[in-house]
Amino acid sequence: MPSRSAVPDGKRPTLSDLAARAGVSVPLASMAMRGAKGPSAASRERVLRAAQEIGYRPDSRARLLRSSRSHLVGVQFDLRQPFHADMVEALYAAAGAAGYQIALSAVAASRSEQEAVEMLLADRCEALILLSPHAPAARLAELAAQLPVVSVARRLRPLADGVDGVDVVRAADDEGARQAVDHLVALGHRDIVHIDGGRAPGAADRRRGYKSAMQHHGLTDRVRLVPGGLTEDHGAAAARTLLAEAARPTAVLAFNDHCAIGVLDTFLRARIPVPDEISVVGFDDSHLARLAHVQLTTVGQEARQLARRAVSRAVARLEGGAADDEREVVVTPHLVIRSTTRAPCRS
C-alpha cells in the first residue's frame, strides 16, 4: 500500500490519491466517500481510513459544478446588525437539518445589497433568504421571478407592492412594541418615549404598536417619538436629545438592541443611572442584550423560529411542497425582562 509520502508535500490530495492509498478504483472511492450504495462495509472502512491518513477532503465546489443542483441557500445579511449574526447561526442549523448548505454575502458600509445579492446568484444559490432587505419592492419582484425569495423581518404588501412571488417571515413587531409598553406601564411609567427606526424594516409596525399601547393605557397625550435608527450612533444621538431637556421621560423604548446600547452608553457617560432614573427597553434580544454587563430588557424576535420558518418556505418552493398560497408567516415575539427596567422613582 502506498505511503502518505506518495502525495507530494503541499499538494492537496486528490480522489486518485485516495483510491491509490486505499487500493480501490476511483469510482469505488468516490461512492464510499459519498455514502452511496455499492462498496462493501470493509471497502468503505478502508477508504475512510485512507482519507484520514492522507488528509483527503471532498471538493464541495467541484461537486456542485458537476451537479445540476447546488443545494445552496444564499443569505444576505448586514454586518452592522447584531441580530443578523444570531439569525445566521440559526439559519445554518435549520438549513443543515433540511439537507441544504448556506452561502453568506454581507452588506456593509462599503458594500451594497445589490452587490451582496449578485454574489449569491453567481454562486449558483437555488434560493435567497434576505434579512431585513431595504431593496425596492420592484427589485424583490425581479429576484422572485428568477428563484425563490424569502424576506425576513420586513413586511411586504403583495397587492400594493407587486411582490406576490416573495415569501415573508417576520415577527409581529407591533405586538412586540405593545408588550414593551405594557411592561413599562405595569411598573408605573407614564412618560414613555419611543426612539423611532425611521424607514428601517419593521419600524412602522413598532411605531404603530407603541402608539396603540399608549392609547390603550390612556396615555395618548404622552405619546412621543424621537428620531433614531438602527445603530448605536443613532441611539446615542437620541439619548443626547433627551438629556438636553429639562423634563426627561422615565422610560425609553429603543428601535432595536443596537440602538438601545447607544442609549445606555450615553446615559452612563452622563451619570444617569439606569434603571433607577430612566428605564430602557430594546428590541430583538440579540447577543448584545444578553451580555453580563448589559442585561437589557428587550423584545425577543425568536431567531430560531424565524430561521426555521424561512428555510422551510425556501425549501418548500424549491421542492414543490408549498401547496398553499400563504406567503406571509408572522411569529409572535415575547418580552425578555432583565435589569434595565424597574418602577420609576418619579411619576
Side-chain angles (χ1 to χ4, degrees), residues 17 21 40 58 156 218 253 283 298-299 317 321 337:
D17 296 327
R21 175 72 176 184
S40 66
L156 293 169
L253 168 59
F283 207 112
T298 184
V299 178
R317 299 297 173 192
I337 301 173

Side-chain angles (χ1 to χ4, degrees), residues 86-173:
D86 297 340
M87 279 295 302
V88 165
E89 183 176 355
L91 285 166
Y92 269 118
Y100 283 75
Q101 297 181 48
I102 289 292
L104 297 178
S105 191
V107 177
S110 60
R111 195 166 190 258
S112 69
E113 285 191 4
Q114 178 76 11
E115 292 174 292
V117 168
E118 289 299 332
M119 194 204 81
L120 294 173
L121 295 177
D123 277 352
R124 296 182 65 219
C125 291
E126 294 186 330
L128 296 179
I129 294 178
L130 311 178
L131 304 186
S132 307
H134 288 76
R139 173 56 179 161
L140 298 181
E142 289 176 4
L143 289 171
Q146 302 175 50
L147 74 175
V149 174
V150 182
S151 170
V152 178
R154 174 182 171 182
R155 178 196 287 270
L156 293 169
R157 302 164 300 167
L159 294 179
D161 296 337
V163 286
D164 289 334
V166 178
D167 282 289
V168 173
V169 177
R170 64 179 181 87
D173 291 291

Side-chain angles (χ1 to χ4, degrees), residues 2-47:
S3 66
R4 180 168 182 146
S5 61
V7 180
D9 291 340
K11 176 179 178 291
R12 178 174 177 169
T14 66
L15 187 61
S16 295
D17 296 327
L18 173 64
R21 175 72 176 184
V24 299
S25 67
V26 170
L28 191 146
S30 175
M31 288 188 290
M33 290 302 298
R34 288 185 285 112
K37 295 181 180 180
S40 66
S43 295
R44 192 184 308 278
E45 174 62 26
R46 190 161 64 250
V47 170

Side-chain angles (χ1 to χ4, degrees), residues 229-307:
L230 296 88
T231 69
E232 188 174 338
D233 287 341
H234 289 132
R240 288 193 293 269
T241 296
L242 297 176
L243 290 175
E245 300 173 349
R248 298 171 188 150
T250 64
V252 171
L253 168 59
F255 170 68
N256 66 9
D257 291 347
H258 207 187
C259 179
I261 294 297
V263 172
L264 291 174
D265 181 66
T266 302
F267 286 167
L268 175 65
R269 293 173 186 273
R271 298 185 178 179
I272 303 298
V274 175
D276 294 343
E277 189 166 331
I278 300 181
S279 289
V280 177
V281 180
F283 207 112
D284 287 342
D285 194 25
S286 66
H287 60 275
L288 286 181
R290 301 188 289 271
L291 292 174
H293 68 285
V294 176
Q295 287 296 297
L296 178 68
T297 295
T298 184
V299 178
Q301 281 211 70
E302 305 288 357
R304 291 181 182 177
Q305 189 174 355
L306 290 173

